[in-house]
Structure formats: structure tokens, C-alpha cells
Amino acid sequence: MYNLWKCLFVLLVIPAALICPGCSEEKEPGIPGILVSTQWLQDHIDNPDVVLLHSGSAEFFDSLHIPGARFIDPASFTVNTDLVRNEMPSADSILKLLRSVGVDDNSRIVLYHESSRLLSRTARVFAALDGVGLGERTFFLNGGLPAWEEEARETTGVKTQFSYGTLSKAESGQVLIEAEELDRGRWSPDMVVVDVRTGEEYYGTPGSQEEPAEGGHVEGAYSLPYQSLLRDDYDYFFKSDAALKDLFREAGMDPGKVNVVYCGSGVRASVSYLAARHMGYNVRLYDGSWEEWKQLELPLTGPVTPPGDTE
């Protein structure tokens, strides 16, 4: 179904003379997946069905954004509960936010981040949209505004005019996994659990006479820090599809299994979720993440010595 939507979208916005290589297994540069290039956006920015969303601060947006973009505050796409931070809002709340920026039932949404600092928050917006059934017609500008500016493409401070959206309904997407389901399935041969926090967080800090031990990870989880999915030279860019595939394979991820990603509170894991969705993996986001897992006192591996340490 995902590739079918992509094929339909390409047919709508690319001249009929072009074939849709994005619908085959070998994608050419600039053909979507979820991650799209600056050139792809430039080629389709004037299409009336494309709704371009600038994820960042209102003050920054008022001074500089990609022409035609509409502002969203990524913090609006998370809520805090008494137990944990950064949970998914209700479907009705997400739909209301999207209507407020002019999203209709036939819209194709392109998200971009204002800076590298907001990449994870913007990926979180993608997860929220995927959760209400819009992931198959939502795209993510690889490199975001920094890449757009670096290539000296046009920017503006003038806001575009648009009407209130008519987006009518949501369909529940298979995005989230609850702690109970994760606990039941984490040793299953059909599930892979991946911790995307830093290596320091994953391995933890052993205790001493002065300080208690800190950190650790969900028992059975592999480690693949989300930063490793981003380019070393430009951390606002994802690495190539080939590099992502290698990293996922090395972390034990498998497109034929349920791959669960988690972090501290669900935001950083959204980056890994987005990349895995782009690559066609069956992926789920454990929204409560490490904060909830600890509070529920579910099985965890406490601080351990990282591989290669001699201590």
C-alpha cells in the first residue's frame, strides 16, 4: 500500500513522460521514499496539492522560510502526562492542527526542519501523522532548511495565504507499541528491539561508593544510536539509503520482523522510526520509552561494561 500511494503521487505531480522508479526497489536520487531531496521539492513546490510545513519557531519562520511554507510548532504534536513526557496527542488534536494549516483530504504533506536541533522534533511530527493514517502521503525534506539555504535556493519572510483545511477523518496507523506488548514480544524471534539513545545511556554508568549506578536498557534491546543515521559532516542530513540499510542490518533489524525503536521519551526514536519507514521496514515506536519502562519496573539490563573497555 505504501508504494502504491507513492506511485499515485508521482503520477499526479511528475510529467507523464517520466516513469516512477521510486516504486521499484532501486530508487533514483530525488524520487520519494519518504525522504525527498531539495531538487525534488523545487520541482514540485508549486503543485497545489503539496502542503509544505515549516517545523520550528514562529519568530524564525516570520523572518525566513521556504516560499509557500506554513508554520507548525512541533511541540504541539506531543503532550506530557503524569507518567511520562512527549506522548502522542489524540487523533482529533492532530487532525485539528493539520486543518489549521490548510491540509485537505487530497493534500500531500512535506515536512522540513528549521535546523539540525529540530530534526528529531520534526521526525516526531511525521510519526504523529503516520499514526492517523497520513504517513503514506507525508514526505520529509532531507537536509531541511539548512540544505535548502546551503544551495542558495529562494527563501522569504512573506507568509502564504491559505484556507482552513477540510481534512475529514483519521485512520489508525500501526505506529505505537505499548509496554505490555513489548514485554511479551521482546524475546520473540519475530521482534527486534533497538535502543536509539547514546552508547553512554545504553550501557549506563556503574556505581561506586560515592554514586549509585545509573542507566541501562530494556532487557534484550540492541544499540543503534539515532545520531549514527545522520551524516557526520552535516547532521541535518540522513545518510544514504545504502548506509542506512547497512546500519539497520548490523543492529539486527530485519524488514520481515517487527522492529521496535525507543529512546528516553519517544522523540529521538522518531528519527529512527522515520528512517526505518523510509527504508520499508515494519517498525513500531515505543512511545513511553525508557522513562515509562523504568517506572513500570519492567525487566532491564543495568549498567554494563561497554565492549572494548578494559576495566
Side-chain angles (χ1 to χ4, degrees):
M1 178 61 73
Y2 173 76
N3 281 340
L4 175 60
W5 271 110
K6 297 305 178 186
C7 290
L8 291 174
F9 179 61
V10 172
L11 289 173
L12 284 170
V13 298
I14 297 181
L18 295 180
I19 298 175
C20 175
C23 303
S24 66
E25 214 165 290
E26 296 209 335
K27 293 179 291 186
E28 293 183 4
I31 300 297
I34 292 169
L35 295 174
V36 296
S37 68
T38 52
Q39 186 58 54
W40 184 93
L41 177 58
Q42 186 76 71
D43 291 343
H44 303 100
I45 198 168
D46 294 325
N47 186 286
D49 287 336
V50 172
V51 176
L52 180 60
L53 300 181
H54 174 116
S55 172
S57 70
E59 182 179 4
F60 189 104
F61 175 82
D62 287 346
S63 64
L64 191 150
H65 55 266
I66 297 174
R70 306 163 193 189
F71 171 74
I72 57 167
D73 179 358
S76 300
F77 288 82
T78 57
V79 294
N80 296 330
T81 71
D82 293 337
L83 185 63
V84 289
R85 302 170 295 141
N86 299 319
E87 295 294 277
M88 200 73 76
S90 69
D92 286 343
S93 297
I94 294 169
L95 292 179
K96 185 177 180 180
L97 287 166
L98 293 174
R99 292 187 194 110
S100 73
V101 290
V103 175
D104 300 324
D105 284 323
N106 63 339
S107 296
R108 297 295 180 264
I109 302 164
V110 181
L111 300 169
Y112 74 86
H113 44 297
E114 177 181 287
S115 66
S116 59
R117 181 178 60 85
L118 287 165
L119 188 152
S120 59
R121 285 283 177 183
T122 309
R124 179 66 180 190
V125 176
F126 172 82
L129 271 57
D130 205 10
V132 295
L134 299 176
E136 293 177 351
R137 52 190 173 108
T138 300
F139 304 87
F140 194 99
L141 179 61
N142 194 13
L145 183 61
W148 188 269
E149 285 194 283
E150 185 177 279
E151 296 170 4
R153 298 183 187 271
E154 182 183 0
T155 58
T156 184
V158 178
K159 297 180 182 179
T160 190
Q161 299 298 311
F162 55 87
S163 301
Y164 193 80
T166 59
L167 186 63
S168 59
K169 61 180 180 179
E171 297 179 5
S172 178
Q174 290 292 313
V175 172
L176 303 182
I177 187 170
E178 299 297 327
E180 182 180 354
E181 184 181 356
L182 174 57
D183 191 31
R184 287 198 311 267
R186 60 196 169 85
W187 292 121
S188 164
D190 297 321
M191 181 178 287
V192 179
V193 185
V194 178
D195 186 317
V196 313
R197 299 174 301 158
T198 64
E200 291 79 9
E201 291 171 292
Y202 175 84
Y203 291 108
T205 304
S208 65
Q209 290 185 344
E210 295 78 21
E211 298 289 341
E214 292 184 356
H217 54 269
V218 172
E219 190 177 68
Y222 294 91
S223 175
L224 179 61
Y226 85 95
Q227 298 99 322
S228 65
L229 307 180
L230 307 176
R231 285 174 50 174
D232 297 330
D233 49 352
Y234 300 107
D235 62 358
Y236 45 83
F237 263 111
F238 282 90
K239 289 179 177 175
S240 69
D241 287 5
L244 294 176
K245 183 178 181 180
D246 287 344
L247 287 166
F248 289 156
R249 184 178 62 250
E250 290 167 5
M253 295 176 67
D254 187 327
K257 299 181 180 182
V258 177
N259 300 273
V260 179
V261 293
Y262 77 89
C263 57
S265 65
V267 174
R268 289 176 290 173
S270 299
V271 177
S272 302
Y273 177 86
L274 168 63
R277 280 280 280 113
H278 170 69
M279 294 297 295
Y281 281 69
N282 178 9
V283 60
R284 305 278 289 280
L285 174 65
Y286 174 35
D287 206 19
S289 282
W290 178 246
E291 286 186 7
E292 181 184 63
W293 192 265
K294 283 197 308 177
Q295 291 189 47
L296 294 176
E297 298 183 343
L298 290 168
L300 56 85
T301 298
V304 294
T305 303
D309 276 18
T310 56
E311 297 182 355

